[in-house]
Amino acid sequence: MKIHGATLLITGANRGIGLAFAREALSRGARKVYAGARDPASVTLPGVEPIALDVNDDAQVAAAARQCADVTLVINNAGIASPGGFLADGGIASARAQMETNFFGPLRVSQAFAPVLAAHGGGAILNVLSVASWINSPMLSVYGASKSAAWALTNGLRNDLRAQGTQVLGLHMGFVDTDLTRGIDMPKTSPDEVVRRAFDALEAGAEEVLGDELTQQVKRGLSAEPGIYLRDARG
């Protein structure tokens, strides 16, 4: 999947990683970039087309698929993260909210845009995941569960969409220097670096990309004995 000449839909494109995806797509010669955001007025990057898109709103997702019928690449980037563990006060409400955006959001968008991609020869879907798909810590327990579900969704979509020629790429990464991680005292990778790696992998035909060294180390540790996922990620 080449970015040059492609038409992209990016969810959560008004800031952070989504904004970095939009900038990089334009620099690589994308034909058009639809920048989805709950408030399209918050999209200020020149050269993109802002659209109102709350991934939790069925009607808005359906309207986006009609409005953006020329899309060849969907980037499911919109996500939320709330700190806390499963047994904390409000844990169930937090889980519902994060699953709604981080799992059901990409599912809604992918369902709506799969026929659009098929009409243009298959295209691609890029799902923004996390190293928290594989490891866990008390600070991000519930968030990690939502990203584990999104990883499973990505693998399932790859199988479901293979027949129509749609490339499905999962992007795993650790902490990225965005508003979402403000206040977290951990090494962080720049969003521009993560996005460049993701687009390079997409253009190479990959199905998975690891956005930083931390994620590469964790991936190697999944097959260790004992598995890295059996430990508190702070250790």
Side-chain angles (χ1 to χ4, degrees), residues 1-8 21 24-31 72-73 75 123-126 167-169 195-209:
M1 174 77 199
K2 298 301 181 185
I3 305 303
H4 184 83
T7 297
L8 286 73
F21 268 118
E24 184 68 12
L26 292 174
S27 73
R28 294 193 185 209
R31 188 179 74 85
T72 58
L73 170 58
I75 299 180
I125 293 174
L126 193 163
Q167 178 186 358
V168 178
L169 175 67
V195 165
R196 284 193 294 269
R197 290 187 181 188
F199 275 159
D200 287 348
L202 188 75
E203 294 190 324
E207 295 181 325
E208 182 175 84
V209 56

Side-chain angles (χ1 to χ4, degrees), residues 136-156:
N136 209 283
S137 71
M139 181 178 66
L140 294 174
S141 289
V142 178
Y143 172 77
S146 73
K147 285 300 188 177
S148 292
W151 178 40
L153 169 65
T154 301
N155 294 334

Side-chain angles (χ1 to χ4, degrees), residues 50-73:
I51 64 167
L53 182 55
D54 180 345
V55 299
N56 297 333
D57 187 318
D58 290 333
Q60 282 197 0
V61 171
R66 293 192 298 269
Q67 177 183 344
C68 310
D70 53 345
V71 162
T72 58
L73 170 58

Side-chain angles (χ1 to χ4, degrees), residues 19 23 30 38 42-43 45 58-59 62 67 84 90-91 93 102-103 126 129 143 146 175 180-181 183 191 211:
L19 176 59
R23 284 195 303 261
R38 283 177 293 181
S42 65
V43 177
L45 179 67
D58 290 333
Q67 177 183 344
N102 298 345
F103 173 76
L126 193 163
L129 304 173
Y143 172 77
S146 73
F175 293 108
L180 197 66
T181 63

Side-chain angles (χ1 to χ4, degrees), residues 14 52 69 81 87 101 116 128 139-140 147 150 155 159 168 178 186 194 201 221 228 234:
N14 56 323
L87 303 182
T101 298
V116 175
V128 176
M139 181 178 66
L140 294 174
K147 285 300 188 177
N155 294 334
N159 294 329
V168 178
T178 67
M186 293 286 287
V194 170
I228 193 171
R234 297 173 302 181

